[in-house]
């Protein structure tokens, strides 16, 4: 992920140069294109066209049964109601989300993420905003995972308005639990999208060195193989973005209808940014949500170091 910190020493003895990395990606695309997320590539085309979509009457779904992510969220083109709308960032790994966590903390916004329950705040019995040693502000509810979302619901995070930005990987669950049917409070999603091949490659190099992660993420044996072998053996994504949007987890079979539902949700319910246009996307988010109102965004943006990350990986 992009972070404020500079690159730290990696346990790898060699990192591919940009030229070799591009050549490797080109080789993989040609040789293993049947293995590298054809349907997710279709998603990328949708994302690239998102900002040019001027159709205000896009159907939400061809299904008669609407998902919580369709009923509990505002349409992206609806005017923002600052009293009832809640900003939620859908964090897709290796797509710049960690950078945005730092950026919004720098802006002085109150964040809900995994740091929110550190320093003993996972046992708090009521909601409160607290300040970390780094000066950032957090509400004591972690919305990044399923257990944390359940706790956030029990504490009344959705209606509290204490979090300026919530981060999550689970759009369906956070929509269903924090903004139930009939609630006047609604979620307003935004996300950062990265080309799926680049994202898979970045995840491959990250998993080699990320010692702080759990055993499902940190896989040091990957140091012994190259990227092409990793993808050939089944590494990389398997339509997890569609699965999360339509709540078909655990390897459930996805259908064309699921794909269309996910596309419609992204068109109508998500403000989309692209990591390939990171600074422009951040500007778009700031303008949309009014995050630049305190006048310090320029200072924070100068500290983002676009294109850098702590592991020195692509």
């Amino acid at each position: 992920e992009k972070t404020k910190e500079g690159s730290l020493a990696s346990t790898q003895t060699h990192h591919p140069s940009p030229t070799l990395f591009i050549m490797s990606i080109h080789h993989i695309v040609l040789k293993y294109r049947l293995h590298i997320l054809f349907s997710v590539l279709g998603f990328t085309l949708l994302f690239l066209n998102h900002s040019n979509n001027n159709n205000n009457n896009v159907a939400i779904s061809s299904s008669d049964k609407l998902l919580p992510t369709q009923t509990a969220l505002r349409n992206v083109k609806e005017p923002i109601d600052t009293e009832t709308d809640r900003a939620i960032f859908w964090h897709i790994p290796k797509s710049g989300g960690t950078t945005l966590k730092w950026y919004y903390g720098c802006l002085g916004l109150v964040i809900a993420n995994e740091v929110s329950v550190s320093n003993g705040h996972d046992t708090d019995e009521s909601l409160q905003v607290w300040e970390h040693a780094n000066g950032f502000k957090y509400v004591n509810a972690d919305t990044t995972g399923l257990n944390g979302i359940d706790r956030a619901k029990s504490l009344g995070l959705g209606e509290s308005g204490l979090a300026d930005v919530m981060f999550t990987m689970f759009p369906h669950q956070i929509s269903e639990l924090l903004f139930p049917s009939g609630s006047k409070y609604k979620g307003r999603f935004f996300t950062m999208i990265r080309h799926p091949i680049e994202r898979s490659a970045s995840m491959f190099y990250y998993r080699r060195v990320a010692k702080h992660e759990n055993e499902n993420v940190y896989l040091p044996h990957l140091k012994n193989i190259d990227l092409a072998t990793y993808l050939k053996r089944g590494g990389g994504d398997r339509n997890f973005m569609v699965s999360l949007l339509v709540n078909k987890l655990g390897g459930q079979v996805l259908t064309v209808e699921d794909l269309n539902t996910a596309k419609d949700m992204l068109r109508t319910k998500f403000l989309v940014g692209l990591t390939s246009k990171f600074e422009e996307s951040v500007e778009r988010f700031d303008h949309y949500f009014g995050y630049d109102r305190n006048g310090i965004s320029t200072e924070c943006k100068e500290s983002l170091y676009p294109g850098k990350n702590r592991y020195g990986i692509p």
Side-chain angles (χ1 to χ4, degrees):
E1 296 276 355
K2 302 173 183 177
T3 64
K4 177 176 180 292
E5 296 100 26
S7 298
L8 298 180
S10 167
T11 55
Q12 293 176 266
T13 58
H14 173 71
H15 294 299
S17 69
T19 301
L20 290 176
F21 176 71
I22 294 171
M23 292 175 63
S24 175
I25 292 296
H26 179 68
H27 171 75
I28 293 165
V29 172
L30 292 177
K31 189 171 183 180
Y32 300 110
R33 56 190 180 276
L34 293 178
H35 299 280
I36 309 177
L37 317 172
F38 269 125
S39 58
V40 181
L41 285 173
F43 259 88
T44 303
L45 295 177
L46 167 66
F47 302 148
L48 293 174
N49 289 325
H50 180 276
S51 60
N52 295 322
N53 183 1
N54 294 316
N55 182 3
N56 291 314
N57 299 306
V58 177
I60 293 179
S61 174
S62 57
S63 172
D64 292 332
K65 184 177 180 181
L66 298 179
L67 297 169
T69 34
Q70 296 167 304
T71 60
L73 304 178
R74 298 286 190 206
N75 284 341
V76 71
K77 293 183 179 180
E78 290 183 80
I80 292 180
D81 185 332
T82 57
E83 294 298 320
T84 60
D85 291 0
R86 306 292 185 245
I88 311 169
F89 183 81
W90 184 25
H91 189 176
I92 301 168
K94 310 310 297 174
S95 299
T98 298
T99 300
L100 289 179
K101 291 177 182 178
W102 181 89
Y103 174 67
Y104 294 133
C106 179
L107 290 184
L109 301 179
V110 178
I111 309 300
N113 65 12
E114 66 281 0
V115 181
S116 296
V117 292
S118 60
N119 295 346
H121 289 287
D122 57 327
T123 59
D124 292 342
E125 296 182 357
S126 61
L127 288 174
Q128 59 178 287
V129 175
W130 62 281
E131 186 170 320
H132 194 276
N134 60 14
F136 294 174
K137 297 175 182 178
Y138 298 92
V139 62
N140 55 338
D142 177 9
T143 52
T144 58
L146 298 179
N147 291 335
I149 293 172
D150 284 335
R151 179 173 176 272
K153 171 183 168 59
S154 68
L155 293 174
L157 180 63
E159 59 267 29
S160 74
L162 289 179
D164 292 315
V165 187
M166 307 177 203
F167 284 80
T168 193
M169 280 189 61
F170 299 95
H172 176 94
Q173 285 75 13
I174 198 171
S175 301
E176 181 178 38
L177 294 178
L178 297 193
F179 310 103
S181 177
S183 172
K184 70 176 182 178
Y185 302 100
K186 301 290 182 182
R188 196 174 278 270
F189 263 106
F190 64 118
T191 190
M192 193 75 78
I193 303 296
R194 187 177 187 180
H195 192 290
I197 295 178
E198 293 179 0
R199 206 184 72 78
S200 292
S202 181
M203 181 61 77
F204 166 71
Y205 292 113
Y206 175 76
R207 297 178 80 176
R208 287 172 151 191
V209 298
K211 293 182 178 180
H212 63 286
E213 296 280 11
N214 63 48
E215 60 185 10
N216 294 321
V217 177
Y218 175 48
L219 301 177
H221 70 271
L222 293 181
K223 296 177 184 178
N224 301 320
I225 63 174
D226 59 17
L227 177 59
T229 302
Y230 168 73
L231 293 172
K232 186 177 180 181
R233 291 177 179 176
D237 293 335
R238 287 295 179 268
N239 300 316
F240 88 101
M241 293 167 63
V242 183
S243 298
L244 288 171
L245 285 171
V246 302
N247 197 35
K248 281 193 171 182
L249 308 180
Q252 295 183 64
V253 176
L254 296 169
T255 66
V256 173
E257 183 179 7
D258 293 329
L259 177 62
N260 290 333
T261 297
K263 286 180 178 180
D264 288 338
M265 279 193 283
L266 283 167
R267 285 195 191 98
T268 59
K269 304 294 185 179
F270 286 74
L271 182 67
V272 175
L274 301 173
T275 55
S276 59
K277 297 183 178 180
F278 192 83
E279 294 181 55
E280 178 182 334
S281 297
V282 172
E283 291 282 353
R284 187 182 192 197
F285 298 155
D286 284 354
H287 178 74
Y288 184 81
F289 288 106
Y291 288 155
D292 195 21
R293 59 185 179 270
N294 55 16
I296 66 170
S297 67
T298 299
E299 178 182 346
C300 292
K301 287 170 186 170
E302 289 175 352
S303 301
L304 288 180
Y305 298 107
K308 302 294 184 181
N309 60 67
R310 71 180 68 182
Y311 299 104
I313 59 180

